[in-house]
Amino acid sequence: MTVDFKKYIASVQDFPNKGIVFRDITPILSDGEIFRAATHELAEYAKKRGADVIVGPEARGFIVGCPVATELGVGFVPARKPHKLPREVERASYDLEYGSNSLEMHKDAIKPGQKVVICDDLMATAGTLHAAIELIERLGGEVVGAAFYVELPDLKGREKLPNIDIFSLVQYH
Ligand code: ADE
């Protein structure tokens, strides 16, 4: 099925701050056929890259990444906001299109040498992606790709991570 995913992304001016155009992917999620098609595209990409495990950053990365992992029959590892995970963690900080935050992963979440594809809804400045890569590599994993529903190429995320293979369903300039 070829889908025009942009028909299922709502653009909201000045949210959450003035000057930001928020790309809301919830219409993809609420349509079962479209959600499945988006999941399938990301899963095909992750399979092609040889993923052993999917990492999804909190919170929308959980929604996007979990069904990709189940479609492939591989594990899912959450990268969480601080103080959510109960055991020993690694932490990395990052800047966003608006604001900044930190991500944590359990120290034993990735087995050394595992091939990882990171899944999330949107790549803006690639701050979240950068932090996730740092964590995965500290844990001994190999990031073989990153897959998104939406990419904002004008924020030059790809240029900041020239060694990372990046896939996105749609781009907004
Ligand atoms: N995260 C960072 N920038 C965003 C945007 N413009 N829309 C939705 N989520 C975002």
Side-chain angles (χ1 to χ4, degrees), residues 27-163:
I28 292 179
L29 309 177
S30 59
D31 183 312
E33 207 173 308
I34 302 304
F35 188 21
R36 184 154 62 188
T39 298
H40 184 67
E41 296 256 349
L42 268 57
E44 285 295 300
Y45 168 77
K47 187 159 106 187
K48 200 177 71 200
R49 299 300 298 171
D52 301 313
V53 64
I54 302 295
V55 166
E58 187 167 353
R60 285 169 278 164
F62 299 173
I63 300 168
V64 171
C66 277
V68 172
T70 61
E71 178 166 333
L72 294 179
V74 302
F76 176 84
V77 171
R80 295 214 63 179
K81 305 265 170 70
H83 310 297
K84 302 282 189 185
L85 292 168
R87 296 183 291 107
E88 219 186 335
V89 295
E90 287 283 345
R91 179 186 292 186
S93 298
Y94 59 99
D95 292 321
L96 294 166
E97 190 184 11
Y98 39 86
S100 68
N101 215 328
S102 300
L103 280 182
E104 293 182 349
M105 287 171 68
H106 274 140
K107 279 195 168 168
D108 61 359
I110 303 288
K111 295 185 188 76
Q114 271 192 319
K115 292 185 164 59
V116 181
V117 166
I118 298 165
C119 290
D120 209 347
D121 68 326
L122 183 141
M123 183 171 76
T125 57
T128 310
L129 179 59
H130 198 281
I133 292 166
E134 192 178 313
L135 289 175
I136 292 159
E137 290 182 346
R138 266 194 243 157
L139 299 183
E142 181 192 352
V143 178
V144 293
F148 301 89
Y149 287 179
V150 181
E151 179 180 354
L152 308 180
D154 297 343
L155 298 179
K156 302 191 187 305
R158 278 178 195 259
E159 290 168 37
K160 286 173 206 150
L161 296 163
N163 300 323

